[in-house]
Amino acid sequence: MNAGFVSCDIVGHSGVKSIGAQCARVRGLNEVVRRAIAKAGETAVVWAPGGDGGHLAFLGKDWPPLAVEVILDLHEWARQEAVPLRIVGHVGEVEQTEGADGRIQLVGDGINLVGRLLSASVSGGVMVSDVFRGALVAGGLTHLDFHDPRVIRAKYFPPQEVFLLSIPARIESSWNTLLRLEHSFLFDNDRQMLALAQHEGRTWDIVFYVKRLLQANAYDKQAGDALLAINPTSLAVTPRGVEGDEKDENAINSFLGSLDPETRLDVIRSCQMLERQRNEVLCVAGEAGDSMFVVLRGEIGIFPGGIVASLEGRFLEPPFSATTGETVGEIAFALKRKRTATLIAARETCLLSFNAEMVRTLTRQSGESSDADSALDRFIRSRILKFVVGRASWLVGPDKSGPLRDIPRLWDRLVRHTRRIDCPSWTEAPVKTWSDQFAEDGVYALVSGRLRSITQDRTVEAEDAVPAIFAKVAGSAIMVEEEFRVEEDATILRIDVAKLLQRDSKRLRALIGRLEGRSESLEAAKANPVAYDVFCSYRWEAGSPLVRSVEQALQNRFRFFIDVQSLKSGRFDVQLLQTISRTPNFVLFLTPGSLDNCNSLNDWLRREIAQAIQTHRNIVPILADGFRFPEESTLPEEIRDLARYEAIRYDHAYFKGMIDRLSELLR
């Protein structure tokens, strides 16, 4: 059978915090409906309540006048009580069945469609379907004004033409009143919806409709102008529980909000729009990925470390979630590493997908490429840092037990104290922690890729944990220097935590202690301990007598490393380079011709000098009789600075004076 419906819904009812106020509204609404049912007389009427509204169905004949009277009564009650009420009229087919409580229950397309139309109607006005308008006109109600027709596409139903209903001196309906859209409703074209979103200042809806228009025409003028007009501060993030986050109620999307308007338009024009139904998987932990996502509508559940392979139709409650305006998947985007979490739609969701290479290309091509590049770099470093802080136990760690756990939004404070070092595997160039790349103070963390230590014979890989491969504070290494081979494209992040903690010595000591305790390389060094003050470097043939005489003169004041007597079993080259790195003073005995073979890559005196220079040891050359420095240009570049260090002349006649001077120069 066909039924005429007058349906209503209180807008924002659940947002009223007082239960007493909610009850008063529902009682007032029910009283209006009760009076309508009493007036119906012999006309069959069924009321299907819905908590903060419901559907009044007229099942008999001659119902149009009564329906209009109910509309007038509902509108007047809402006006007097200042209740935002939506009212919809429709005609559709239903069947009656007995409900669980013995009352009549209505089933069918008629009540289903009117419920969807209700969600797309206006607050403070009346919207009716074309079939409802026809029924009222056929009933002789000619004083009604049906105006401003639009088409609504309701999910599971064909397009529906709807009208606003106004009654002179009683009801004035307008589309300019508050319009609430659910995901399943779209008006007849995206241009109207874009204009409405602009009028109401719904920024993320503007982005949504802009992208829909750009998918049909990449250079649509209305869409482009709308996006260029967006104030980046309006790209607000909905405060929810994203993994590891501490929410800022005034936060904006740090990716899109960091771009200049033209670059933002290019990026959104080139990205993809994705849709996921509830419980649909977006990506899985452990998979490779180079894209990140911005949520436009809906909610993405975040499951760190992955979940069961089969959902079997069940909805899984995520430990974290991301909603409108938030960014997810950015670690894979920034580092081209495997996904660290599984992402599943918690409800019907729409997202923008951004490919890393595409974004970098567009920011470099933009008219203000340097600004765009730096904005993108700041965003990427911030997201990497956020990841590192949450994973590295020497900072905060997953169990939040790290030495810096009490510092709020630590990643934001560290951004300006970081530097990224990319180490591609194709170059085959080794990573040396005594090189210029590691000259600055800081903790050097491996955030992606895999390294193989040549000096320690171990593999370091960036997985869930974030290993520190080297650390230096106040110019001194607190982890043993190593040489690595890049087995898989690696990214190292230098974090100068000491600069942030320069007035917090307690936390700094705790950080250093945690690094020393977790350093595999340091543990290896402790297994073969050495403790020297002076490393002696020389040519064995001519330099040995000089070394012995100096050692004997100072052995009661300094501990000397002399390779032939100090090296223990193990790899000669590894121990020698490690000892230089851990010994503060490097005394170089230069005899005539001792630098002649330094152009050979395999010359050990050259390697010792280079290691001392690169690791910033206190270098003191002792020049034997007859030694002269060769032309600087003839020396390998890595040791050309040797002549600039303060040197001492070895002189038997003034041996005591020379020893005293050497003592002054040693630390």
Side-chain angles (χ1 to χ4, degrees):
M1 71 176 74
N2 269 347
F5 288 93
V6 173
S7 301
C8 61
D9 169 57
I10 300 175
V11 179
H13 183 67
S14 58
V16 177
K17 301 305 180 185
S18 168
I19 296 179
Q22 290 188 22
C23 289
R25 286 180 164 189
V26 171
R27 283 195 297 269
L29 178 61
N30 285 337
E31 181 58 33
V32 174
V33 175
R34 190 178 295 112
R35 290 198 302 266
I37 294 173
K39 292 177 183 179
E42 295 181 359
T43 303
V45 179
V46 175
W47 170 241
D52 55 355
H55 311 282
L56 190 61
F58 301 92
L59 305 178
K61 297 180 179 181
D62 302 325
W63 56 264
L66 183 57
V68 172
E69 190 171 348
V70 173
I71 289 172
L72 286 168
D73 289 346
L74 287 170
H75 185 271
E76 183 61 22
W77 168 79
R79 186 187 66 79
Q80 291 181 0
E81 299 297 326
V83 175
L85 188 70
R86 293 184 286 204
I87 304 172
V88 167
H90 179 56
V91 177
E93 187 173 351
V94 293
E95 293 294 335
Q96 300 181 57
T97 187
E98 184 178 342
D101 57 0
R103 293 186 296 176
I104 295 175
Q105 184 172 344
L106 300 177
V107 179
D109 283 352
I111 194 167
N112 294 337
L113 179 54
V114 76
R116 292 188 174 275
L117 295 177
L118 188 63
S119 295
S121 64
V122 295
S123 170
V126 182
M127 186 183 81
V128 300
S129 66
D130 186 44
V131 288
F132 188 87
R133 180 189 67 85
L136 267 54
V137 171
L141 302 173
T142 58
H143 64 292
L144 307 177
D145 181 16
F146 302 97
H147 56 95
D148 292 316
R150 286 189 175 178
V151 174
I152 291 180
R153 290 180 172 84
K155 194 172 183 180
Y156 306 125
F157 292 95
Q160 302 291 317
E161 187 174 23
V162 296
F163 296 80
L164 294 180
L165 169 61
S166 295
I167 301 175
R170 301 293 299 275
I171 299 175
E172 182 178 352
S173 300
S174 169
W175 289 118
N176 290 329
T177 56
L178 175 65
L179 181 65
R180 180 177 176 82
L181 288 175
E182 302 297 339
H183 296 308
S184 54
F185 293 96
L186 293 175
F187 281 87
D188 54 344
N189 64 68
D190 292 325
R191 297 189 187 283
Q192 291 180 356
M193 295 313 303
L194 174 57
L196 185 62
Q198 287 181 283
H199 176 75
E200 296 178 353
R202 292 181 281 112
T203 303
W204 290 110
D205 279 340
I206 294 172
V207 176
F208 174 79
Y209 290 112
V210 162
K211 181 57 184 174
R212 285 176 61 91
L213 290 169
L214 292 177
Q215 287 182 136
N217 176 7
Y219 295 93
D220 186 285
K221 188 175 187 308
Q222 180 188 356
D225 290 346
L227 197 65
L228 291 173
I230 285 178
N231 185 329
T233 60
S234 69
L235 292 164
V237 173
T238 306
R240 289 291 297 271
V242 171
E243 179 190 3
D245 210 348
E246 299 164 25
K247 286 297 183 179
D248 179 358
E249 297 284 342
N250 300 312
I252 65 170
N253 183 280
S254 52
F255 169 56
L256 292 177
S258 69
L259 303 175
D260 64 85
E262 292 288 349
T263 304
R264 189 183 304 120
L265 174 57
D266 286 339
V267 166
I268 290 179
R269 180 185 285 130
S270 302
C271 73
Q272 290 183 302
M273 180 182 279
L274 306 178
E275 292 183 339
R276 291 292 185 271
Q277 299 298 315
R278 184 174 185 260
N279 248 19
E280 251 191 304
V281 175
L282 182 63
C283 59
V284 176
E287 291 181 344
D290 65 349
S291 297
M292 66 177 175
F293 314 95
V294 172
V295 181
L296 291 183
R297 295 177 164 187
E299 181 179 358
I300 288 292
I302 302 170
F303 298 83
I307 59 168
V308 292
S310 175
L311 301 178
E312 299 177 350
R314 295 176 291 110
F315 174 68
L316 302 177
E317 188 66 31
F320 309 100
S321 64
T323 54
T324 302
E326 295 194 277
T327 305
V328 290
E330 65 274 20
I331 296 303
F333 171 92
L335 299 174
K336 295 185 179 179
R337 59 170 287 159
K338 294 177 181 178
R339 299 286 184 188
T340 59
T342 294
L343 305 180
I344 298 178
R347 47 193 167 99
E348 192 173 337
T349 302
C350 180
L351 316 96
L352 296 179
S353 173
F354 301 92
N355 172 270
E357 196 56 43
M358 175 269 289
V359 172
R360 289 191 180 94
T361 299
L362 289 173
T363 55
R364 289 166 188 157
Q365 290 175 350
S366 68
E368 301 175 29
S369 59
S370 59
D371 291 340
D373 263 345
S374 61
L376 180 63
D377 179 63
R378 282 194 303 272
F379 165 76
I380 289 175
R381 280 189 291 124
S382 173
R383 304 312 282 194
I384 294 174
L385 266 173
K386 189 173 179 181
F387 170 76
V388 171
V389 166
R391 295 296 194 280
S393 57
W394 42 272
L395 287 173
V396 174
D399 59 355
K400 295 181 171 54
S401 64
L404 308 188
R405 60 187 177 277
D406 298 327
I407 301 179
R409 298 186 69 84
L410 177 62
W411 57 89
D412 280 345
R413 298 168 184 240
L414 288 173
V415 166
R416 60 195 182 96
H417 303 305
T418 62
R419 178 170 58 84
R420 175 173 172 160
I421 304 171
D422 289 315
C423 307
S425 57
W426 59 265
T427 64
E428 298 185 358
V431 174
K432 302 176 181 179
T433 60
W434 59 82
S435 68
D436 290 343
Q437 282 188 313
F438 296 84
E440 298 174 287
D441 281 359
V443 181
Y444 292 80
L446 181 67
V447 293
S448 72
R450 185 172 65 251
L451 302 175
R452 179 71 184 174
S453 174
I454 299 171
T455 50
Q456 291 291 332
D457 193 25
R458 67 190 181 101
T459 297
V460 184
E461 193 164 5
E463 288 293 341
D464 286 340
V466 179
I469 63 167
F470 182 60
K472 182 183 289 187
V473 176
S476 298
I478 61 173
M479 293 176 65
V480 173
E481 287 152 329
E482 295 184 69
E483 182 175 347
F484 296 94
R485 181 174 67 251
V486 182
E487 293 190 336
E488 182 182 283
D489 289 355
T491 298
I492 298 167
L493 194 68
R494 181 192 75 88
I495 311 170
D496 191 359
V497 188
K499 188 159 289 184
L500 178 67
L501 301 177
Q502 55 188 341
R503 297 183 181 179
D504 194 341
S505 58
K506 183 178 179 181
R507 275 201 179 103
L508 182 58
R509 286 196 302 271
L511 170 68
I512 292 173
R514 184 68 66 95
L515 285 168
E516 290 178 340
R518 291 188 178 274
S519 167
E520 291 181 47
S521 55
L522 193 66
E523 291 301 318
K526 289 177 179 176
N528 187 19
V530 290
Y532 301 103
D533 301 309
V534 180
F535 183 99
C536 296
S537 180
Y538 59 99
R539 293 284 185 198
W540 290 345
E541 302 82 0
S544 293
L546 280 65
V547 173
R548 296 295 178 207
S549 61
V550 170
E551 181 200 20
Q552 290 173 7
L554 293 174
Q555 62 184 350
N556 293 329
R557 298 166 61 184
F558 297 97
R559 295 166 297 177
F560 283 80
F561 177 92
I562 301 175
D563 51 14
V564 295
Q565 68 186 37
S566 303
L567 280 179
K568 303 180 185 296
S569 61
R571 288 181 57 183
F572 169 81
D573 55 347
V574 172
Q575 290 191 42
L576 210 61
L577 295 177
Q578 286 180 353
T579 303
I580 294 172
S581 300
R582 298 197 300 270
T583 305
N585 300 290
F586 181 87
V587 176
L588 174 61
F589 294 83
L590 293 174
T591 53
S594 57
L595 297 180
D596 291 352
N597 294 328
C598 281
N599 281 305
S600 170
L601 288 173
N602 296 320
D603 182 71
W604 264 100
L605 186 67
R606 167 183 171 171
R607 291 189 66 180
E608 290 176 7
I609 298 170
Q611 176 82 342
I613 292 174
Q614 291 164 352
T615 58
H616 307 286
R617 301 301 91 187
N618 178 40
I619 299 174
V620 182
I622 294 181
L623 312 182
D625 286 342
F627 173 81
R628 295 289 183 274
F629 277 106
E631 289 292 329
E632 185 177 292
S633 60
T634 65
L635 291 174
E637 186 175 354
E638 58 189 357
I639 67 170
R640 284 180 185 171
D641 287 342
L642 187 58
R644 295 184 174 86
Y645 289 90
E646 184 175 352
I648 300 173
R649 278 284 174 189
Y650 187 93
D651 193 329
H652 283 291
Y654 298 99
F655 184 77
K656 184 178 183 306
M658 180 204 71
I659 291 296
D660 290 342
R661 179 58 182 151
L662 177 60
S663 299
E664 293 173 0
L665 293 177
L666 295 178
R667 295 174 179 171

